[in-house]
């Protein structure tokens, strides 16, 4: 046997062990010996039962994603599952860690699945823009029913062992030494002598499907898919499992898989899978990380409270500092309210809520931060305020404590210089709501020590964030590019587009919402204050703010929000205001198409990304994609702005930017040299 697959015989029970670190993916060098092992064991009279197990921390976590897009080397997973499923002796999958994608499909080829208490099982292929291509869409519904299978396959979210047991996906759940339990389990099954019905022949559950209810669910899913093909194909495949004979449904699944795996959407989503993992890698592996046991957070407002919750949710005790007892009480009350909402929604137990709340210690005294290993400042966005706080922290924090600021724009080198320990200072730019949003921009200042940086990158992963390391500049990666995207919004309005036309062009592109809806949601006053501080103006947005139209929170912004609703309704008053301002400037309105809207907003965004790469503010183009997908809702099916630039054609983007630059003279349209090079070489390499 190869080193990737080994077989041991324990008194007539063959244990096939897959050993392909780190996640036991089903690479070619696993599939080939696995197929041989199964065929041999099928014909071996000394073997009464077969266990499929894995070495290391996890069961098979899926197909080997690095093999996608390359010529398939046989045997394919489907062929292995077919051989496995035809074996008459009892077969069982011993699942620990995660059984995902092709891993779960392999397990579905067994008569039985036995899981460790901590195991998680799922078919996450949809997140890679594909569907389970190894029979998962046809076999899973036969165990858990079409409705549950639809939910699991379309969401891609794995379920825990107990839930899997309740749903009929696993046959037993054990704690402790899984191999011993599984061998005993399968011996007992062999002793009982069957019947050992392959999953493909179990039709009882799917026969009960309420097809009308199923189709209603699918119609809803298709609406929510926002142009993504994979969720729709997943739903179609599960429906086929119910309506077509097994082999036909399997063939249809294959056809859908082949189509999806070759699509730009799937390429984009696979790009993002690896991009997220790449972003967390720092040069210099041997850096010893600092120990983080307690976290301090300064400011219990929306941002500070969210940040404190993010750490508490990750298991860290948090000291929360405010300027007054009243502000502290309010902040802690909001945190408690947020957890209560989670309990009401069923995503948190009462017990877990109590445990989370017990993690918080409130204070109004800086000296109480002395035992914190990381302190995150989330106070008012003002340099003088930040400097004063960091001066105080310098006096009280223990030596080696990491001092972080959550600033969205300010110069962190300047903040660091207000302490005697700039090597310990960095930026942790969370996105609101900080306990929910995945993205964390980690800002490396000029003097930040490598071990401080490595510590927070690791910490980000521990609290479930997707981290991207960026350099110091106004707005870092995300907000700097957002400014470039927004720079033409006003001009488009004045030239004749309405807020809802612009927002629709964005949602048609795949964004969850357009720039004006987003502005209304975030609060228009934030940008207004920011502009005033920098001596900038935006004629429409400024006028709206002067009228007290701050967005959703005031019931009026670019749109109307009636009776506390979050649904934006176009407002004729705003449209009249825009036309009035345009007339003052002598602009005659014209019809503006969606293509122009995308060109004038997203091409400058990409151009700014190129400048960010040239300046070394981001290390990789894929880091920028990770920022935009996880922090700003850039459509996953387009892979992030820099990946999409490749799909769209950098040469086209450069051409159109030149056109707009000539027409308007605006700097945002002046193609960055790196973008011009990308148009020639196809690479973002600086
Ligand atoms: N193929 C190839 N490489 C994989 C992989 C896969 N399926 N899954 C993980 N890896 C790699 C990662 O890229 C990473 O590599 P580096 O260390 O070089 O960056 C390494 O394994 C460890 O992965 P993580 O950092 O993600 O480790 P984790 O412990 O945080 O998470 C995991 C483990 C939950 C398994 C996570 O890696 C994961 O979700 N993997 C993908 C699972 C998946 O999507 N499976 C379906 C594959 S498609 C399929 O199976 C199609 C089909 O129908 C046949």
């Amino acid at each position: 046997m190869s080193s990737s697959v080994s077989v041991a015989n324990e008194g007539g029970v063959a244990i096939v062990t897959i050993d392909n670190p780190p996640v036991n993916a089903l690479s070619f060098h696993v599939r080939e010996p696995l197929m041989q092992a199964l065929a041999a064991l099928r014909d071996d009279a000394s073997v009464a039962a077969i266990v499929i197990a894995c070495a290391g921390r996890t069961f098979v976590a899926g197909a080997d994603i690095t093999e996608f897009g390359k010529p398939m080397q046989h045997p394919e997973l489907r062929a292995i599952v077919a051989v496995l499923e035809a074996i008459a002796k009892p077969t069982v999958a011993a699942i620990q860690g995660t059984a995902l994608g092709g891993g779960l499909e392999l397990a579905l080829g067994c008569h039985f699945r036995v899981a460790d208490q901590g195991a998680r099982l799922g078919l996450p292929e949809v997140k890679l823009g594909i569907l389970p291509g190894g029979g998962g869409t046809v076999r899973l519904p036969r165990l858990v029913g079409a409705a549950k299978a639809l939910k699991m396959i379309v969401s891609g979210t794995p379920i825990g062992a107990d839930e899997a047991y309740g749903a009929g996906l696993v046959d037993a759940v054990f704690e402790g030494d899984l191999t011993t339990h599984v061998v005993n389990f399968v011996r007992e099954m062999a002793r009982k002598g069957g019947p050992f019905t392959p999953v493909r022949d179990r039709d009882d559950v799917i026969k009960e499907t309420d097809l009308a209810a199923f189709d209603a669910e699918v119609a809803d899913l298709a609406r929510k898919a926002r142009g993504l093909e994979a969720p729709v194909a997943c739903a179609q495949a599960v429906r086929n499992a119910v309506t077509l004979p097994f082999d036909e449904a399997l063939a249809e699944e294959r056809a859908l898989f082949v189509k999806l795996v070759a699509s730009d959407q799937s390429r984009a989503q696979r790009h993002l899978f690896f991009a997220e993992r790449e972003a967390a890698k720092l040069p210099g592996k041997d850096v010893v990380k600092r120990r983080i046991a307690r976290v301090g957070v300064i400011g219990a407002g929306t941002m500070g409270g969210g940040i404190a919750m993010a750490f508490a949710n990750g298991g860290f005790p948090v000291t929360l500092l405010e300027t007054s007892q009243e502000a502290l009480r309010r902040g802690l009350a909001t945190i408690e309210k947020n957890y209560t909402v989670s309990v009401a929604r069923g995503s948190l137990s009462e017990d877990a809520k109590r445990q989370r709340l017990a993690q918080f210690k409130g204070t109004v005294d800086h000296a109480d931060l002395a035992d914190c290993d990381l302190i995150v400042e989330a106070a008012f966005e003002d340099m003088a305020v930040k400097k004063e706080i960091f001066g105080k922290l310098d006096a009280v924090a223990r030596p080696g404590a990491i001092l972080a600021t959550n600033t969205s724009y300010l110069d962190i080198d300047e903040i660091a210089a207000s302490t005697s320990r700039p090597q310990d200072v960095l930026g942790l730019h969370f996105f609101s709501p900080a306990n929910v949003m995945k993205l964390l921009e980690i800002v490396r200042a000029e003097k930040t020590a490598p071990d401080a940086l490595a510590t927070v990158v690791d910490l980000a992963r521990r609290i479930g964030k997707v981290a991207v390391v960026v350099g110091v500049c106004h707005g870092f990666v995300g907000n700097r590019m957002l400014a470039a995207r927004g720079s033409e919004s006003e001009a488009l309005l004045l030239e004749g587009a309405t807020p809802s036309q612009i927002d629709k062009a964005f949602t048609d592109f795949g964004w969850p919402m357009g720039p004006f809806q987003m502005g209304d949601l975030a609060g228009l006053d934030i940008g207004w204050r920011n502009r005033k501080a920098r001596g900038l103006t935006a004629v429409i947005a400024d006028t709206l703010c002067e009228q007290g139209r701050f967005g959703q929170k005031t019931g009026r912004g670019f749109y109307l929000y009636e009776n506390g609703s979050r649904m934006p309704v176009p407002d004729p008053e705003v449209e009249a205001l825009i036309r009035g301002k345009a007339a003052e400037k002598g602009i005659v309105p014209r019809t503006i198409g969606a293509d122009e809207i995308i060109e004038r907003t997203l091409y400058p965004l990409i151009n700014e990304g190129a400048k960010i790469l040239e300046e070394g503010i981001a290390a990789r183009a894929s880091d920028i994609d990770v920022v935009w997908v996880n922090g700003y809702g850039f459509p996953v099916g387009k892979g992030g702005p820099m990946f999409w630039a490749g799909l769209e054609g950098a040469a086209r983007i450069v051409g159109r930017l030149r056109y707009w630059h000539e027409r308007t003279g605006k700097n945002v349209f002046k193609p960055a040299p790196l973008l011009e090079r990308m148009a020639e070489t196809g690479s973002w390499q600086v």
Side-chain angles (χ1 to χ4, degrees), residues 21-23 25-27 57-68 77 98 100-103 105 122-125 127-128 130-136 253-254 257 273-274 277-278 281 461:
V23 298
L26 288 172
S27 316
R57 61 186 168 114
T58 180
F59 192 75
V60 174
D64 183 339
I65 304 169
T66 62
E67 290 181 359
F68 289 173
L77 173 62
T98 43
L100 300 178
E105 292 175 301
L123 293 172
E125 284 88 341
K127 295 183 179 166
L128 299 169
I130 53 174
L131 87 176
E253 177 196 89
R254 184 66 194 163
F257 178 86
F273 176 86
F274 290 114
R277 281 150 184 85
E278 205 54 33
K281 287 179 190 154
R461 191 179 160 100

Side-chain angles (χ1 to χ4, degrees), residues 302-323:
T302 309
M303 215 53 218
I307 294 171
M309 286 177 72
F311 283 109
N313 297 350
F316 289 91
V318 177
T319 305
L320 189 59
L321 178 107
E322 253 299 351
T323 45

Side-chain angles (χ1 to χ4, degrees), residues 298 375-394 403-428 443 445-448 472-473 476:
I298 300 181
I375 302 167
V376 186
E377 165 276 319
F380 197 65
E381 191 76 338
D382 178 279
M383 184 54 93
V385 172
K386 307 256 183 210
K387 280 186 173 172
E388 193 195 326
I389 291 174
F390 274 76
K392 283 185 186 159
L393 288 183
D394 199 13
L403 310 181
T405 169
N406 177 53
T407 180
S408 318
Y409 292 98
L410 298 175
D411 182 346
I412 300 179
D413 290 326
E414 196 180 331
I415 297 174
S418 69
T419 72
S420 64
R421 35 173 131 176
Q423 73 281 1
D424 298 333
V425 177
L426 45 76
L428 288 182
V443 192
E446 197 192 336
K447 296 197 172 142
T448 306
V472 175
C473 64
F476 316 122

